[in-house]
Amino acid sequence: MNITSKTKICMVIGDPIEHSLGPQKYNDIYKLLGIDDQFVYVACRVKISDVADFIKGVRAMGIRGVSCTIPHKVEVMKYLDKIDPVAEKIGAVNTIVNDDGFLTGYNTDWTGAVVPLERVTPLQGKTVALIGAGGAARAIAYGVVERGAELTIYNRTPEKAKQLAGAVGAKTGSLDDLEDIKNMDIIINATSVGMQPKHDETPLPKEYITNKQVVLDAVYTPRETRLLREAKEQGARVVYGTEMLLHQGLDQFKLYTGHDVPEDMMRDVLDKYLPPKGTK
Ligand code: ATR
């Protein structure tokens, strides 16, 4: 460790926070880039009722950057000086940058989804089925519509799907009638269905997946979810949730430090801390 009195603090906040890999991931990269004297990264459990005080603390201590996870992505917005227009449209902030006391909120979740998808297929003019209408779904929905896709949203609570569809300009479908999904180009799971420890579950029965489709699962524990395993069995191309994590992290890192992290460096670091491939 190379911490001095000039080292700037970045952090992740959430409640709970103990599962976060942020500190291991970012401190490793600071070291690999030789900037571990300039930055250190910690995690803090912050209660939602304490967010206003927390932001005062960020200003008072000159914390350089704050990554926000559940449940803070919406709540923090009202305490910032500026919200990036994209984050404003998404309605959530996952990244706060402090420039000499001026706090700006960004959202890097949407590029995290769009960049790995566009490596496999263009989005312009494609039909996309998005399952889920929570926080993660919001950023993905914005991203795919922004890139010119025609989006249909499916969610357990239909009112939430309707609300999100209205906000981004999408259609809605019913989880009780999934037949149309067979004819769509891209399927995205943004629910928590299939996440450990319930890795035997899937948000979409296998028979609705075809070999013409691309399937992205935002869930990355396990890395290969049942949805992705079955998509591969059906001959579909798949995009892993870890790729989303990777790309949102690259953008966030650049906002905090100004440094571009080589993609393979970030991938190697994620490989080190996520459960090994093929494990449940
Ligand atoms: P995140 O920020 O990770 O998106 P979230 O905002 O709590 O978390 O959203 C979770 C999403 O997973 C929601 O779309 C939720 O559906 P509801 O809106 O009906 O709550 C969906 N979800 C969670 N558990 C589910 C389950 N067992 N079956 C279907 N959908 C589920």
Side-chain angles (χ1 to χ4, degrees):
M1 254 199 285
N2 258 329
I3 297 172
T4 70
S5 46
K6 290 186 184 143
T7 306
K8 291 182 180 143
I9 301 170
C10 294
M11 64 194 329
V12 57
I13 60 163
D15 186 13
I17 197 62
E18 292 72 20
H19 64 284
S20 173
L21 296 172
Q24 296 95 308
K25 205 170 72 180
Y26 284 126
N27 287 317
D28 266 22
I29 294 171
Y30 295 154
K31 207 166 184 173
L32 288 164
L33 291 178
I35 55 171
D36 53 330
D37 57 336
Q38 296 171 45
F39 298 97
V40 64
Y41 196 98
V42 296
C44 261
R45 182 174 189 173
V46 174
K47 282 189 275 174
I48 193 92
S49 53
D50 285 338
V51 167
D53 287 344
F54 168 77
I55 295 290
K56 279 187 196 158
V58 169
R59 294 180 192 278
M61 287 186 280
I63 306 275
R64 166 64 183 162
V66 182
S67 312
C68 306
T69 64
I70 294 170
H72 297 314
K73 291 185 183 187
V74 178
E75 178 67 14
V76 294
M77 293 177 78
K78 51 185 179 227
Y79 306 107
L80 307 181
D81 300 308
K82 186 180 160 200
I83 310 285
D84 170 75
V86 174
E88 185 80 63
K89 207 161 175 186
I90 295 170
V93 154
N94 75 327
T95 304
I96 302 170
V97 177
N98 181 356
D99 291 304
D100 299 322
F102 189 86
L103 305 190
T104 308
Y106 297 89
N107 189 304
T108 67
D109 286 329
W110 75 279
T111 42
V114 163
V115 171
L117 263 178
E118 285 191 327
R119 291 212 176 145
V120 182
T121 172
L123 289 167
Q124 178 69 41
K126 295 292 162 83
T127 49
V128 176
L130 173 66
I131 308 172
R138 269 197 96 77
I140 296 170
Y142 172 84
V144 297
V145 170
E146 172 71 20
R147 286 296 208 264
E150 197 184 299
L151 178 67
T152 307
I153 302 171
Y154 300 79
N155 194 49
R156 179 177 62 181
T157 311
E159 298 73 44
K160 275 171 71 181
K162 283 203 189 89
Q163 226 172 29
L164 179 55
V168 298
K171 291 186 282 191
T172 56
S174 164
L175 279 178
D176 298 324
D177 180 15
L178 295 166
E179 201 62 33
D180 284 353
I181 289 192
K182 270 189 183 165
N183 301 315
M184 298 210 190
D185 301 310
I186 299 164
I187 299 168
I188 302 173
N189 175 41
T191 72
S192 47
V193 179
M195 192 185 286
Q196 275 171 353
K198 297 186 175 173
H199 52 256
D200 291 334
E201 295 182 356
T202 180
L204 184 69
K206 190 175 172 177
E207 65 261 30
Y208 297 107
I209 306 171
T210 74
N211 62 5
K212 296 196 179 67
Q213 294 171 322
V214 174
V215 181
L216 162 67
D217 200 338
V219 173
Y220 60 86
T221 54
R223 289 191 191 204
E224 187 159 286
T225 56
R226 179 173 160 195
L227 174 68
L228 292 187
R229 192 179 69 241
E230 293 184 344
K232 277 163 93 177
E233 286 165 8
Q234 295 292 82
R237 285 174 294 165
V238 302
V239 179
Y240 290 91
T242 45
E243 289 297 301
M244 269 184 73
L245 190 65
L246 173 95
H247 287 282
Q248 80 78 16
L250 293 177
D251 290 352
Q252 197 170 58
F253 195 96
K254 175 120 193 199
L255 285 167
Y256 295 152
T257 68
H259 286 266
D260 283 308
V261 183
E263 206 174 300
D264 283 342
M265 184 188 283
M266 182 74 94
R267 198 172 275 114
D268 286 348
V269 169
L270 282 175
D271 272 344
K272 186 169 156 191
Y273 294 111
L274 287 172
K277 279 184 186 134
T279 57
K280 296 246 160 119

